[in-house]
Amino acid sequence: MIETIAFAFSIMGVVASVTSTFSFPLVSGGHVGMVWGWLIPCFFVMAVASSMAELVSSMPTSAGLYYFSAKLAPPKYSALASWITGWANITGQVTLVCSIDFTCAQMITTAIAVSSDGATIVSPGATYGILLAILFTHGLVCSAATNVLARLNLFYVIVNVGTTIAAIIALLVCSGDNKVSTKDAFTMFENNTGWSNNGWAFFLAFTAPMWTLTGYDSAAHISEEVAGAQRTAPIAILVGVFGTQVLGWLLFIACSFATASVTNLLTGALPLPMGQLFLDVLGKRGMLAIWSFIIVVQFVTGAAQGVDASRVIFAFARDNALPGSHLWKRINRRTQTPVNAVWLVMAGAAVCGLLGFSAAALSSLAGASVIGLYVSYATPIFLRITSGRDKLVPGTFSLGRWYMPIGIIAVAWVTFIVLLLFFPPTQTATPVGMNYAVVIIMGVFVFASISWVVSAHKWFHGPIKNIDNPSLDGKEL
């Protein structure tokens, strides 16, 4: 159980994820964006996580979400529901790997700039080269045996939590008399988005927690590799999400107190504003010390997400739903892991990484990953509260009669977030600064739709039975 919780928790690396997305609340609300822009989405994300935990407890399988959709949809549409969920999840998984590793590359370039006192500013091309090196290293790590990855995640959780707590303490203590007042830390609002409507500008701050609180479906994707998954997987989801939410909020509160000037952080020369905050508060040596641990956290977060994404590719290919499925569903005899699927993920992430040459790279990658993943989360939940109301046999964890209101809240929230993240970060979009999430999502949607209409509806019939699953009224597709 500990290893599974560690795995789910690792993908949501708190301190590294907050560091990566710190610019979103800074731009969209300043201090209010930091504190309340994080807290408000947490309640709705917990509704999504709770609904997912119930599904995982009932149907623990590496196919995860698209398997749930197939089982809960009306028989006539089960294959289509599975197809939509699977492609949405794969899109989110691959772009999440890219966005994590891209921000890891930005962290490295930030460290280079600070260590050289600003003399060395890494170009976008060199940053892309660092991204490719990280993806290659992650390919090697994710191809290793599962027991090796489990030990790596246990080590990582200690570093993750320890670095987060250290960052909170350091920001509050070392900022000294430069801290803003409690009133300002919780109520000062600044709109730097370019959007004239302050309410809409504040909503864009939700990007930070939504990007951080992704990937917790990983507990389902590795459920076939752990014992007692009906009990272990839902606990891993709920503990991982709640722990990330609490630590993330405390860290953002500390950041809010330590931020004397939002404008100075946004106009700094460093790639990531959080680096400037640590530099201002801790000085060069202190900043580089804690920054090195944050880079480690982000690196392992990317590795964990790479494992999760490769398991999704493997499961979808196992059901012959991908071009070249015979290649991606192969298991390496020595490591007993889907090595080919791992390298397909890394190749896809490398292509998405070309967005790094855009000024709105992180907005595009974060938006695409959140949209893809949360659409795949919401689809089986929607089916659970509609056509699948009487199909689910509860597992160890069950929401009981609360599944309906919680499910409605979850689906409504995801609908709102998807619409929100399609919008550009500023009111006036340019080719360089536009939100390319819509291009990625629509590109996959068009490809998957054409594939379904032309041929897939003839040969794809949903998940192929490979283990006995008594969780759903004895019916198999």
Side-chain angles (χ1 to χ4, degrees):
M1 178 184 292
I2 296 177
E3 288 85 355
T4 309
I5 293 174
F7 186 75
F9 192 72
S10 63
I11 292 179
M12 297 178 285
V14 187
V15 66
S17 295
V18 170
T19 297
S20 302
T21 58
F22 188 50
S23 60
F24 291 113
L26 276 180
V27 171
S28 306
H31 296 275
V32 169
M34 290 183 236
V35 177
W36 305 111
W38 176 275
L39 181 63
I40 292 173
C42 286
F43 296 102
F44 298 100
V45 170
M46 186 54 73
V48 179
S50 299
S51 297
M52 187 187 300
E54 181 183 49
L55 296 177
V56 172
S57 181
S58 175
M59 299 172 278
T61 170
S62 63
L65 300 162
Y66 85 90
Y67 181 89
F68 305 158
S69 293
K71 293 297 184 179
L72 296 172
K76 182 180 179 180
Y77 301 105
S78 62
L80 177 59
S82 179
W83 182 263
I84 293 172
T85 306
W87 277 103
N89 193 247
I90 287 175
T91 304
Q93 294 283 350
V94 174
T95 51
L96 185 57
V97 170
C98 180
S99 57
I100 291 172
D101 285 2
F102 174 71
T103 51
C104 187
Q106 286 188 312
M107 291 176 186
I108 293 173
T109 61
T110 297
I112 293 172
V114 172
S115 61
S116 64
D117 295 320
T120 303
I121 302 298
V122 180
S123 67
T127 302
Y128 182 69
I130 296 173
L131 168 63
L132 293 180
I134 294 172
L135 288 171
F136 178 76
T137 307
H138 279 162
L140 297 177
V141 172
C142 296
S143 298
T146 303
N147 59 341
V148 175
L149 298 172
R151 288 194 294 269
L152 180 64
N153 280 322
L154 285 175
F155 160 76
Y156 160 80
V157 167
I158 297 173
V159 176
N160 182 14
V161 175
T163 305
T164 304
I165 294 174
I168 293 170
I169 295 174
L171 288 171
L172 291 176
V173 173
C174 297
S175 55
D177 296 333
N178 292 323
K179 286 194 291 288
V180 300
S181 66
T182 301
K183 179 181 179 181
D184 287 348
F186 284 86
T187 63
M188 182 180 288
F189 181 84
E190 298 182 42
N191 180 2
N192 295 291
T193 62
W195 286 95
S196 57
N197 187 293
N198 287 338
W200 183 259
F202 171 68
F203 287 155
L204 293 174
F206 294 171
T207 307
M210 293 308 299
W211 185 77
T212 302
L213 297 167
T214 52
Y216 45 86
D217 58 311
S218 59
H221 301 148
I222 64 169
S223 59
E224 293 180 19
E225 303 174 44
V226 297
Q230 282 195 332
R231 176 173 175 267
T232 302
I235 292 176
I237 291 173
L238 296 175
V239 172
V241 170
F242 182 73
T244 301
Q245 289 178 341
V246 172
L247 286 174
W249 195 47
L250 293 176
L251 180 54
F252 263 119
I253 290 174
C255 290
S256 184
F257 274 106
T259 301
S261 171
V262 171
T263 302
N264 288 346
L265 295 184
L266 291 175
T267 57
L270 298 180
L272 295 173
M274 183 67 94
Q276 189 64 53
L277 178 61
F278 279 125
L279 182 61
D280 293 343
V281 174
L282 305 180
K284 179 179 176 179
R285 289 186 177 181
M287 180 272 181
L288 290 175
I290 198 166
W291 201 254
S292 62
F293 284 99
I294 293 175
I295 291 175
V296 171
V297 171
Q298 188 72 333
F299 180 85
V300 183
T301 298
Q305 176 55 32
V307 171
D308 188 31
S310 66
R311 298 312 187 263
V312 173
I313 294 288
F314 164 75
F316 213 36
R318 186 173 59 183
D319 297 322
N320 300 315
L322 292 176
S325 288
H326 65 285
L327 295 174
W328 319 127
K329 64 183 177 181
R330 290 181 182 175
I331 295 293
N332 184 276
R333 293 182 179 179
R334 186 172 62 85
T335 64
Q336 292 299 301
T337 56
V339 173
N340 290 355
V342 168
W343 290 106
L344 178 61
V345 169
M346 300 307 157
V351 174
C352 293
L354 292 172
L355 285 174
F357 293 95
S358 164
L362 184 56
S363 296
S364 302
L365 292 171
S369 58
V370 172
I371 291 170
L373 288 172
Y374 271 89
V375 166
S376 69
Y377 297 171
T379 302
I381 297 173
F382 173 77
L383 294 171
R384 164 74 171 114
I385 62 177
T386 53
S387 61
R389 289 192 300 271
D390 301 321
K391 293 185 177 182
L392 191 81
V393 176
T396 305
F397 175 81
S398 173
L399 295 176
R401 62 189 177 90
W402 292 100
Y403 84 90
M404 181 62 76
I406 292 176
I408 292 173
I409 292 171
V411 172
W413 173 252
V414 172
T415 302
F416 165 69
I417 285 298
V418 167
L419 294 175
L420 174 71
L421 294 181
F422 272 133
F423 279 81
T426 60
Q427 193 162 353
T428 304
T430 63
V432 175
M434 74 168 282
N435 184 354
Y436 285 91
V438 65
V439 177
I440 298 173
I441 297 298
M442 291 307 297
V444 175
F445 175 78
V446 170
F447 173 79
S449 298
I450 293 176
S451 298
W452 177 262
V453 172
V454 173
S455 65
H457 73 279
K458 301 175 184 178
W459 48 262
F460 181 73
H461 305 292
I464 298 173
K465 181 179 178 181
N466 54 80
I467 56 174
D468 292 329
N469 187 350
S471 299
L472 282 161
D473 61 16
K475 297 180 180 179
E476 294 293 342
L477 296 178

